[in-house]
C-alpha cells in the first residue's frame, strides 16, 4: 500500500484479509483532514532529538580494541564462598570467608586503584592510537598530492 | 558412568532470557538422565545454590563430557584462556549479539563488549566442535563465522515461570483503558522511539485514553531512556510508562492487563516476550526483522515497513474486530506448541544423538 504522502505500508499475516484491512487503513488515513499540524512531524522531532542527545554512529569512529574494557577491572567482585556439603562444608566456608575477608582488606584498595589506572591508560592509548591513525591518513593524502 | 552435559555462561540472572534458557535446559537434561551443572565466571548470589564457579569444572573436564557454551555478548580473556585448556567437547549455543553500532553514544562498555563479542566468534569456532543457535537467524551467523553447519536449539517456553498470580491492585489500575505493551530490555536495537511514534498517532487519532507500557530493564541505557523520555515530553505524551525491571508477578499482571503486544525491534536473536504474549492470548504486531519471522511463524501480524500512522490504524482495527483478534490468538496458540518443553526435548535428543 502506498499512502498519498508517498510512504509504503505493508504487513503480513496468515488467514487475514490483508487487502481488506489495508483498504480500511487507507480510508481511515484519508479521512483525517487535520493531518499533523506542527511545524515538525513527530518523526522529524525524534530524528533531531536523537542527533542532539545521542549522535549518529560513524564507521570511522571504531577501531580494533587494543585491550577489552572489561579486562581493565581486576577487582574480584563476584567471588562467592558457598557450601553444599552439610556441617563440614559450612565450617569450611566460614574459614575460607575469614581468610578471604582478611586478604581483601589488605589487597582491595590496591586492586581498585590499579583498575582505575588501567581504565584511564586504556582511554589514553586508544585516543593516541586514533590520532596516530588519522595522522597516517593525512600523511598518505599529502604523499598522493605531492606525487600528482 | 553417566555422561555429563554441563553448561557455561558468564553469569546467571533473573529475568534474562539466556539465563532462563540455561535453567530450563538443565531441567530438561536432568529429565533425560544426564548429569548437568551450570558453571559461571561470576557466580551470582541469587543463584548460588544452582550454579558453580567455573574453576570447579576442572573435576569434570575430560574428552567425553560435553560443555555447552552459551554466548550472547563476550567472554573475558580469562574465560577464553580457560576454555583453551579444557579437554571437554565444547558446543557453542549462540543467542546472538546486538550489533555494537546500536550502543554508540549510549553505553561505552556495551559498545565495546558487543564489538569484541562478534570479533571473538572465529576464535570460538576453533575451540568448539559444533554450533547451535536458538534460531536460524543465529545459526546463519555461526556459519558466516566459520562453523560448517549449525542447528537450531529453540528457546524452551516454560509456562511454570509465569505461573504467578497477577497483582490485583495493578490489574485494577490497568483496566478500563487501552494498554499497549512492549516487554524487553530498553535497548536501542528495540527501536523504542518507533513505539512512541506509533503511540503518538494512536493516542491522537484513535484512542485518546491509551497507555504505552514499556516493561524491561533500563540498566546501562540511561542515556537512551533520557532521549526517549524527552521525546515523549516533546510530543506531549504523558501516558508512556517505563516500568524498569519488575517482578515475575508484575510481568504476569502486565500481560493480563494489556490489549496488544507491539514490537518495533530491528534486531532479535529470538524474542522470548513474543512467546509470552502468545501464552497470555495477547495479539502480536511486530516488525519483521531478524529472528522475529521464525518465532511468529504463521501467527501474529508482521510489519514489513514502518509507517507509524498506518500501524496505529492497524492496532485500532485489531482492537475493534473481535473475529480478527480471535483468529490471531488461535494461530499464536498453535505456534507456541513448537516451543513447549516436550517438543524441544525431541529436538535436543536428536541434536545429542547426532554428536
Amino acid at each position: 500500500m502506498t499512502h498519498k504522502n508517498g510512504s509504503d505500508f505493508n504487513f503480513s499475516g496468515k488467514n487475514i484479509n490483508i487487502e481488506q484491512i489495508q483498504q480500511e487503513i487507507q480510508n481511515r488515513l484519508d479521512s483525517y483532514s487535520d493531518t499533523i499540524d506542527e511545524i515538525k512531524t513527530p518523526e522529524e522531532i525524534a530524528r533531531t532529538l536523537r542527533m542532539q542527545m545521542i549522535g549518529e554512529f560513524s564507521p570511522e569512529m571504531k577501531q580494533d580494541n587494543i585491550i577489552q574494557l572489561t579486562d581493565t577491572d581486576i577487582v574480584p567482585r563476584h567471588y562467592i564462598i558457598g557450601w553444599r556439603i552439610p556441617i563440614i562444608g559450612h565450617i569450611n566456608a566460614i574459614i575460607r570467608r575469614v581468610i578471604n575477608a582478611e586478604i581483601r582488606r589488605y589487597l582491595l584498595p590496591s586492586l581498585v586503584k590499579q583498575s582505575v589506572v588501567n581504565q584511564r591508560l586504556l582511554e589514553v592509548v586508544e585516543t593516541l592510537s586514533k590520532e596516530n591513525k588519522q595522522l597516517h591518513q593525512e600523511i598518505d593524502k599529502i604523499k598522493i598530492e605531492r606525487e600528482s | 558412568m553417566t555422561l555429563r552435559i554441563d553448561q557455561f555462561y558468564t553469569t546467571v540472572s533473573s529475568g534474562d532470557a539466556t539465563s532462563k534458557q540455561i535453567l530450563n535446559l538443565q531441567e530438561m537434561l536432568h529429565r533425560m538422565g544426564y548429569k548437568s551443572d551450570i558453571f559461571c565466571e561470576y557466580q551470582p548470589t541469587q543463584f548460588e545454590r544452582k550454579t558453580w564457579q567455573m574453576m570447579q569444572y576442572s573435576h569434570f573436564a575430560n574428552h567425553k563430557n560435553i560443555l555447552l557454551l552459551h554466548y550472547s555478548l563476550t567472554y573475558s580473556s580469562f574465560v577464553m584462556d580457560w576454555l583453551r585448556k579444557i579437554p571437554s567437547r565444547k558446543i557453542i549455543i549462540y543467542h546472538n549479539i546486538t550489533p555494537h553500532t546500536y550502543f554508540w553514544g549510549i553505553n561505552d562498555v556495551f559498545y565495546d563488549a558487543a564489538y569484541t563479542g562478534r570479533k571473538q566468534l572465529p576464535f570460538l569456532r576453533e575451540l568448539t566442535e559444533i554450533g547451535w543457535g536458538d534460531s536460524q537467524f543465529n545459526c546463519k551467523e555461526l556459519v558466516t563465522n566459520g562453523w560448517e553447519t549449525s542447528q537450531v536449539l529453540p528457546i524452551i517456553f516454560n509456562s511454570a515461570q509465569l505461573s504467578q498470580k497477577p497483582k490485583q491492585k495493578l490489574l485494577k489500575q490497568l483496566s478500563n483503558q487501552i494498554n499497549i505493551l512492549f516487554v524487553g530490555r530498553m535497548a536501542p536495537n528495540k527501536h523504542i522511539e518507533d513505539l512512541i511514534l506509533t503511540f503518538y498517532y494512536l493516542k491522537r487519532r484513535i484512542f485518546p485514553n491509551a497507555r504505552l507500557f514499556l516493561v524491561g530493564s533500563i540498566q546501562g541505557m540511561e542515556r537512551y531512556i533520557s532521549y526517549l523520555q524527552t521525546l515523549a515530553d516533546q510530543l506531549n505524551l504523558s501516558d508512556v510508562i517505563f516500568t524498569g525491571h519488575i517482578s515475575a508477578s508484575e510481568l504476569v499482571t502486565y500481560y493480563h492487563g494489556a490489549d496488544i503486544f507491539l514490537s518495533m525491534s530491528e534486531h532479535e536473536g529470538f524474542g522470548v516476550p513474543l512467546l509470552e504474549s502468545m501464552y497470555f492470548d495477547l495479539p502480536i504486531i511486530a516488525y519483521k526483522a531478524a529472528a522475529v519471522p521464525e518465532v511468529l511463524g504463521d501467527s501474529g501480524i508482521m510489519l514489513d515497513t514502518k509507517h507509524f500512522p498506518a500501524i496505529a490504524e492497524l492496532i485500532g482495527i485489531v482492537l475493534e474486530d473481535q473475529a480478527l483478534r480471535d483468529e490471531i490468538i488461535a494461530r499464536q496458540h498453535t505456534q507456541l506448541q513448537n516451543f513447549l518443553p516436550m517438543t524441544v526435548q525431541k529436538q535436543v535428543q536428536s541434536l545429542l544423538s547426532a554428536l
Side-chain angles (χ1 to χ4, degrees), chain B residues 150-322:
Chain B
S150 175
Q151 268 106 21
V152 178
L153 191 165
I155 289 286
I156 303 158
F157 180 75
N158 183 357
S159 59
Q161 284 163 339
L162 296 166
S163 59
Q164 290 83 354
K165 280 187 180 167
K167 287 187 178 270
Q168 289 308 315
K169 201 177 162 187
L170 179 60
L171 198 59
K172 207 174 168 188
Q173 286 168 7
L174 293 171
S175 60
N176 302 323
Q177 273 180 277
I178 298 292
N179 299 313
I180 310 300
L181 180 68
F182 173 76
V183 178
R185 188 166 61 123
M186 295 297 124
N189 57 304
K190 313 274 182 186
H191 281 253
I192 310 292
E193 58 273 35
D194 295 345
L195 293 172
I196 294 175
L197 289 171
T198 306
F199 181 67
Y200 170 86
Y201 289 101
L202 184 79
K203 196 168 169 65
R204 181 164 171 154
R205 290 178 167 171
I206 310 162
F207 299 117
N209 71 341
R211 289 180 295 191
L212 173 64
F213 287 97
L214 301 166
V215 176
S217 170
I218 59 166
Q219 205 182 2
M221 297 296 138
E222 290 75 10
R223 212 162 159 192
Y224 183 52
I225 297 297
S226 169
Y227 156 64
L228 297 172
Q229 283 173 334
T230 312
L231 175 64
D233 285 348
Q234 289 202 4
L235 297 176
N236 291 320
L237 295 171
S238 55
D239 291 325
V240 176
I241 298 133
F242 293 87
T243 67
H245 181 69
I246 55 168
S247 68
S249 59
E250 283 170 322
L251 178 66
V252 167
T253 316
Y254 279 109
Y255 276 119
H256 274 290
D259 296 286
I260 214 147
F261 184 89
L262 180 65
S263 167
M264 291 288 179
S265 182
E266 294 192 7
H267 189 275
E268 290 289 342
F270 189 84
V272 173
L274 297 172
L275 299 186
E276 293 172 346
S277 300
M278 290 174 188
Y279 179 71
F280 286 104
D281 291 344
L282 203 53
I284 300 166
I285 297 180
Y287 182 63
K288 194 177 182 177
V292 172
E294 284 178 63
V295 179
L296 284 183
D298 285 344
S299 71
I301 294 182
M302 270 183 281
L303 306 166
D304 300 331
T305 48
K306 286 188 181 182
H307 183 299
F308 306 119
I311 298 167
E313 295 302 334
L314 177 65
I315 293 171
I317 290 169
V318 172
L319 292 179
E320 287 162 16
D321 189 339
Q322 181 68 46

Side-chain angles (χ1 to χ4, degrees), chain A residues 71-128:
Chain A
D71 281 347
T72 60
D73 186 7
I74 57 167
V75 182
R77 299 177 197 277
H78 306 273
Y79 185 62
I80 293 176
I81 301 169
W83 74 91
R84 297 188 195 194
I85 312 161
I87 308 166
I88 301 168
H90 184 74
I91 297 164
N92 177 286
I94 289 173
I95 296 166
R96 284 169 61 212
R97 275 179 189 171
V98 170
I99 297 168
N100 179 55
E102 192 55 34
I103 294 172
R104 284 177 86 90
R105 196 165 69 88
Y106 169 66
L107 267 181
L108 217 57
S110 322
L111 294 178
V112 170
K113 274 185 195 170
Q114 188 60 53
S115 296
V116 174
V117 170
N118 289 350
Q119 203 177 334
R120 296 278 179 280
L121 268 175
L122 179 63
E123 283 166 16
V124 171
V125 170
E126 283 191 337
T127 311
L128 288 172

